Amino acid sequence: MGMMSIFNVSGSAASAQSQRLNVVASNLANADTVAGPDGQAYKARQVTFQTQLVGELANDATAAGVRVSTVSEDQTPGRRVHDPKNPAADAEGYVTYSNVNPVEEMVNMISASRSYQNNIEVMNTAKSLLLKTLQMGQSG
Amino acid sequence: MLERLAGTLDFQAQALALRSERQRLIASNIANADTPGYVAREMDFATALRQATSSSQSTVASGGNRLATGSATLLASTEAGHLAGTGSAGGAAPLTYAVAAQTNLDRNSVDMDRERASFADNTVKYEATLRFINGQVRTMLSAITGQ
């Protein structure tokens, strides 16, 4: 059923992009958290997208949606700041902060929101075309 | 008699079906703009329509229905970068690969500017086809009512 699956395609993409936006939000929220009692600070997370065929027919490349395949953690060591008065400081007086890079996250956020908007626009266009198709052959 | 009435709509009906398929294809490209390794696809509309209408004309002549079920799927290579292939079994339209204007680090070949332009172009042409159909229906209705 031709255009109906556009909603599946763009809907899956919008959902994947919103998950990416969610991850960006938690990264930014944890940008300044320090190491917990286990000595492990928050690690920045990143989503990876994967194509998912959503058409009624298998191998139909014209209906390719998106899903989040993995959420991976950035393994680079966190920022270490010398602050002996901080209760979270280790024996040498260093505090380990999370490894979130706020600039990177902001760029990621803008990219995710633009892609989200693109998909919503595609859905709106498809909807108006389908509504016009429903009125096919009617006079007026 | 009835086949003649329906037959006039046949070409536009094929075009509309292909337009909706292309719309879905471009929507897939836009959806996968951030997917690593995704290769953008494009439809050679002229070839697809020629294929669909030539196969449907034979079925119309024999009084059958219009849907091009038996048409073979071939990948048309219209540019130097296109790969030859036999295509998927499901789709009836020939699909090609869109060649990216700029390479991407994650091997994604979706060019968002081009896709947005193609999407707008396809939207307008879909609407045009709809209006052609509506016009033909109105013509036939006025012929039937005889006023």
Side-chain angles (χ1 to χ4, degrees):
Chain A
M1 180 45 214
M3 284 231 287
M4 280 297 184
S5 51
I6 285 190
F7 296 110
N8 292 340
V9 171
S10 296
S12 72
S15 146
Q17 295 291 352
S18 78
Q19 197 170 337
R20 179 178 169 202
L21 211 54
N22 245 330
V23 167
V24 169
S26 45
N27 283 351
L28 278 176
N30 284 286
D32 281 325
T33 54
V34 295
D38 57 346
Q40 293 289 308
Y42 177 85
K43 288 196 167 61
R45 287 171 174 82
Q46 189 100 39
V47 296
T48 311
F49 291 156
Q50 196 178 41
T51 303
Q52 180 190 30
L53 297 179
V54 293
E56 293 104 81
L57 300 163
N59 301 322
D60 184 8
T62 62
V66 188
R67 70 184 180 93
V68 173
S69 62
T70 50
V71 180
S72 50
E73 282 190 344
D74 184 359
Q75 293 303 330
T76 54
R79 184 157 58 91
R80 276 163 66 82
V81 177
H82 187 67
D83 185 8
K85 278 182 278 184
N86 195 311
D90 61 8
E92 292 161 6
Y94 280 96
V95 183
T96 309
Y97 284 86
S98 70
N99 62 355
V100 176
N101 183 346
V103 179
E104 240 171 59
E105 298 303 331
M106 292 302 281
V107 171
N108 219 341
M109 180 189 82
I110 293 168
S111 169
S113 92
R114 288 281 180 264
S115 298
Y116 190 91
Q117 284 171 20
N118 269 333
N119 283 299
I120 299 299
E121 216 168 298
V122 166
M123 279 198 274
N124 277 334
T125 308
K127 182 188 152 200
S128 72
L129 281 185
L130 280 169
L131 287 177
K132 279 172 187 157
T133 313
L134 280 178
Q135 292 172 351
M136 194 198 314
Q138 292 174 5
S139 55
Chain B
M1 166 64 189
L2 209 61
E3 276 121 44
R4 289 204 163 210
L5 277 179
T8 53
L9 285 173
D10 194 63
F11 178 79
Q12 303 294 355
Q14 291 283 4
L16 197 70
L18 280 172
R19 281 282 167 217
S20 81
E21 202 164 319
R22 177 153 187 250
Q23 193 83 351
R24 201 176 56 189
L25 185 67
I26 300 169
S28 300
N29 286 346
I30 292 176
N32 282 283
D34 294 320
T35 310
Y38 179 82
V39 182
R41 310 296 290 272
E42 182 56 285
M43 179 188 284
D44 185 353
F45 191 82
T47 313
L49 187 59
R50 211 173 300 128
Q51 230 177 60
T53 48
S54 67
S55 65
S56 76
Q57 260 153 24
S58 56
T59 51
V60 163
S62 62
N65 209 343
R66 84 182 160 81
L67 274 175
T69 45
S71 69
T73 306
L74 293 168
L75 290 180
S77 53
T78 53
E79 269 178 62
H82 291 166
L83 301 172
T86 50
S88 60
L95 294 184
T96 59
Y97 292 99
V99 180
Q102 296 173 44
T103 50
N104 229 332
L105 208 59
D106 60 0
R107 291 178 290 108
N108 183 304
S109 74
V110 177
D111 183 344
M112 190 50 96
D113 300 325
R114 192 182 53 200
E115 297 300 339
R116 288 289 298 265
S118 301
F119 193 78
D121 164 77
N122 204 55
T123 305
V124 171
K125 285 175 180 165
Y126 185 95
E127 276 209 54
T129 308
L130 269 180
R131 287 192 193 186
F132 285 138
I133 293 176
N134 284 335
Q136 285 185 356
V137 167
R138 218 168 295 135
T139 308
M140 281 193 284
L141 277 177
S142 67
I144 291 169
T145 47
Q147 286 168 353

